[in-house]
Amino acid sequence: MADIPVINHDEMMRVVGSDGRTFVLYCDPDRLEAHLVDLAPGDEKPLRAFCRGVRQFLDFDRRPCRPSPANSCRAPTGWHWAARCCPICGH
């Protein structure tokens, strides 16, 4: 798999509002934070708190969340799945 190129996009999504302002969901939480605060300076405190929360998941290991090949056609359900994937849920 080393020869498969990986593309890291700068943007996840871009939305232009009816007022002409553009919201960009940046992949980089620092860039996202600056953009959000620029769009809504009156909401700076909760926006910065949100971006701190985003940063907490940057190193989150999602491998336990992936289904095994035998179960790949079945969607995970219930708290068992959450406990495997989310450290807060008791894994």
Side-chain angles (χ1 to χ4, degrees):
M1 290 192 147
D3 58 339
I4 297 174
V6 175
I7 300 171
N8 291 315
H9 298 280
D10 292 329
E11 299 178 11
M12 179 77 68
M13 173 179 30
R14 180 179 284 256
V15 179
V16 180
S18 60
D19 62 356
R21 294 188 315 160
T22 302
F23 166 74
V24 181
L25 182 56
Y26 288 105
C27 296
D28 174 10
D30 295 330
R31 194 169 176 191
L32 174 64
E33 181 176 2
H35 177 62
L36 291 174
V37 170
D38 185 53
L39 286 176
D43 295 325
E44 181 175 355
K45 188 174 180 178
L47 291 172
R48 292 197 188 281
F50 170 76
C51 290
R52 272 194 309 275
V54 169
R55 287 184 194 95
Q56 290 177 340
F57 283 91
L58 288 177
D59 295 324
F60 180 67
D61 185 1
R62 295 180 313 267
R63 288 178 294 176
C65 299
R66 295 183 187 150
S68 66
N71 296 326
S72 61
C73 295
R74 191 174 57 197
T77 58
W79 286 106
H80 172 73
W81 176 81
R84 280 185 25 224
C85 295
C86 184
I88 298 171
C89 295
H91 180 269

